[in-house]
Amino acid sequence: MNARVEPPLALLAELSHRCPLQCPYCSNPLELERSGKELDTKTWLRILDEAAAMGMHQVHFSGGEPTVRKDLEQLVEHATKVGLYTNLITSGVLLDEKRLRALADLGLEHVQVSFQDTEAANADRIAGFKGHLKKLEVARLVRKIGLPLTVNAVVHRQNIDHVPDFLEMAVELDAERIEIAQVQYYGWALKNRAAFIPTYEQLQRTTKVVEAARVRLKGVLVIDYVVPDYYAKRPKTCMGGWARRFLNISPAGKVLPCHAAESIPNLAFDSVHEHSLQWIWDNSVAFNKYRGTDWMPEPCKSCDRKEIDWGGCRCQAYALAGDAGTVDPACELSPLHEATFGLAMKEASAAAPEFIYRRIGTDETPDAAVFGHHEPAG
Amino acid sequence: MERAAFSEASVPAFPRGVKFRFNNTKQQWVILAPERLLEPDEMAVTVLKLVDGQRTLGAVVDTLMEMITIDPPPRDVVATDVVAMLQDLADKAFLVDAARAPQAKAAAGGK
């Protein structure tokens, strides 16, 4: 393996799995961490010190809902003090002007507010929480205070035709940026895949809308667009490569290469209680297992894109092929690529099933269909 | 947000939420923005160090001309390059024109 691994760029700090919303596409694991297991303030402060010392640039406070933590102000203040760029990824529903102003004064640089739809009734149905109007209010507050705003629009078959409205909403809210992110199928979203995956036609239509908007709104609104991998030709460069660019810390202090990594069984992740971040980054067996290109099987090993997409996504390889060490089925070179595409088309053309809402301790429903055979998670 | 169209009269500035910063551990200049990070090359760093929300783009070019002591290219060539480079950053929301957007805060505090 690499003699000395370059440090990661950013820290994803999942402060809590608690959240008033119950979005059935949540990327959190099926087994949600209870509040009693959450790291204390002192430990998070030490983590921020270590992240800055390693040369990381940014910290993203997320969750669950990060604002459930009463010490968020303290963490933002400290991160700013040690030179980290701070970003808050929030549903917004627990924020008010006073708290937002306090966070901004303590150095918060940027806020991302998630939206479930542009229509309140459908948005609240998807979230399992009456929060859409409050989100709009909080997004306006973010701008009123003068903080930059990103609108996070999570799109899928039940709202994808509202992408033009999402773009309009982002402009109306004076957002700097919008993320139009198709649901990625991990955790709760994998369980609810058939309720979310759009048809190929819906996807193509949306891509055209986004491409036109990028031209029309150049210099006005930055548009990030994430397509669902199941319809892709090449896999996404997941996390910039396994354990290459990012470091994710779970509410209980597990250090992961991405938020979904715990869905892969038999990978032991180290805890901040046992080692320093630097030690884990350099020595974690799980990090080194799929880091770089040495681990790659064919067709990745001889692929000229192996240092572009880094083999795609390990969690997806596990979820669809039952083997985290194989080529991501999103890649057209995967023997499962065609079947993946077909599975998506089939699910998308059938009636959407009822949502299985994200809840702590109610994971008793069967997993979504996979090709490989593995024990259901959770 | 209105699109900034840069000319020599513009006053390039980093908006709130964008930081042009030196990372001590890595000994490297970076531009930090929401979910994005840019590692500008040496030439860009030289130009961006002159972006303070006060100087006009024309003044940035003048300062650069003074800095190039050996074999300086014609001023209009440098100006064209600088306008193009900063316009590209503005289109990606890394810069604004403080002459048109007075609420834009200079990034001096972020250095």
Side-chain angles (χ1 to χ4, degrees), chain A residues 55 58 83 85 109 112 174 220, chain B residues 1 17 19 21 23 33-35:
Chain A
Q58 292 174 311
Y85 180 103
E109 306 272 11
Q112 282 180 238
D174 193 29
V220 174
Chain B
M1 197 162 69
K19 289 275 145 74
R21 202 179 261 180
N23 186 306
E35 300 258 319

Side-chain angles (χ1 to χ4, degrees), chain A residues 7 9 52-55 57-58 60 83-85 87 104 109-110 112 145-148 174 177 179 218-220 222, chain B residues 1-4 15-19 21 23 25-26 28 30-37 39 90-93 103:
Chain A
L9 300 174
M54 283 172 79
H57 300 292
Q58 292 174 311
H60 305 279
L84 292 166
Y85 180 103
N87 178 26
E109 306 272 11
H110 173 244
Q112 282 180 238
I145 289 167
L147 282 173
D174 193 29
R177 181 168 163 272
E179 251 184 58
K218 185 176 175 182
V220 174
V222 176
Chain B
M1 197 162 69
E2 244 181 285
R3 184 178 181 223
R16 188 158 180 183
V18 177
K19 289 275 145 74
R21 202 179 261 180
N23 186 306
T25 310
K26 294 189 170 177
Q28 175 197 29
V30 286
I31 306 176
L32 299 169
E35 300 258 319
R36 290 177 302 157
L37 182 149
E39 300 174 345
D91 285 342
K92 292 173 182 153
Q103 78 279 12

Side-chain angles (χ1 to χ4, degrees), chain A residues 193 229-233 235 298-299 313-345 369-374:
Chain A
R193 185 176 60 203
D229 310 295
Y230 287 40
Y231 292 131
K233 280 202 168 119
E298 291 297 352
C313 173
R314 298 305 88 229
C315 304
Q316 186 149 275
Y318 176 72
L320 292 176
D323 176 5
T326 194
V327 52
D328 183 344
C331 181
E332 64 181 346
L333 302 177
S334 162
L336 292 175
H337 183 257
E338 228 172 280
T340 303
F341 195 100
L343 176 82
M345 285 298 278
V370 290
F371 307 115
H373 30 79
H374 62 86

Side-chain angles (χ1 to χ4, degrees), chain A residues 118 151 153 155 162-175 177-180 206-214 216-217 220-225:
Chain A
T118 52
V151 166
V155 301
H162 295 163
V163 164
D165 308 309
F166 267 122
L167 289 161
E168 206 174 293
M169 185 178 94
V171 171
E172 190 265 318
L173 288 171
D174 193 29
R177 181 168 163 272
I178 185 170
E179 251 184 58
I180 297 174
T206 305
T207 303
K208 271 193 198 139
V209 168
V210 170
E211 278 167 4
R214 275 191 172 144
R216 180 165 50 90
L217 298 173
V220 174
L221 181 70
V222 176
I223 303 172
D224 281 1
Y225 180 53

Side-chain angles (χ1 to χ4, degrees), chain A residues 252-274:
Chain A
K254 282 273 175 66
V255 184
L256 313 169
C258 74
H259 54 268
E262 280 183 295
S263 66
I264 302 173
N266 307 321
L267 274 186
F269 293 105
D270 297 291
S271 160
V272 294
H273 295 303
E274 293 148 18

